[in-house]
Amino acid sequence: MKSISAYQTKDGKLFETEDEAKRHEMFLSRHDVIDEFLKSTLNPYVALPQKTIARQAIINWETWKKENAKS
């Protein structure tokens, strides 16, 4: 038997790294507004692969912003 370390998010999912878990939790907290933007006319990326990339970029940006905000 092998012991492993993992990060569990609020929805019960397990992630290998803290960064992955943080990004997932950001998605959980902001997915409604992110998806609303992606469906809007302000989003130029209409194909699914591009929307997926845009979603990840927004989640990464929001996570970075939260962790690096100047007080």
Side-chain angles (χ1 to χ4, degrees), residues 20-50:
E20 290 173 323
K22 284 180 182 179
R23 285 193 301 271
H24 182 70
E25 287 206 333
M26 179 59 69
F27 171 74
L28 292 175
S29 69
R30 307 283 295 164
H31 72 87
D32 290 341
V33 70
I34 292 169
D35 286 344
E36 189 175 321
F37 167 74
L38 292 173
K39 291 175 187 173
S40 78
T41 57
L42 292 173
N43 175 34
Y45 307 110
V46 295
L48 185 59
Q50 287 81 12

Side-chain angles (χ1 to χ4, degrees), residues 3-21:
S3 174
I4 63 165
S5 294
Y7 295 87
Q8 186 173 25
T9 56
K10 293 176 184 177
D11 63 349
K13 290 188 177 184
L14 296 177
F15 294 88
E16 287 185 26
T17 69
E18 185 177 10
D19 286 340
E20 290 173 323

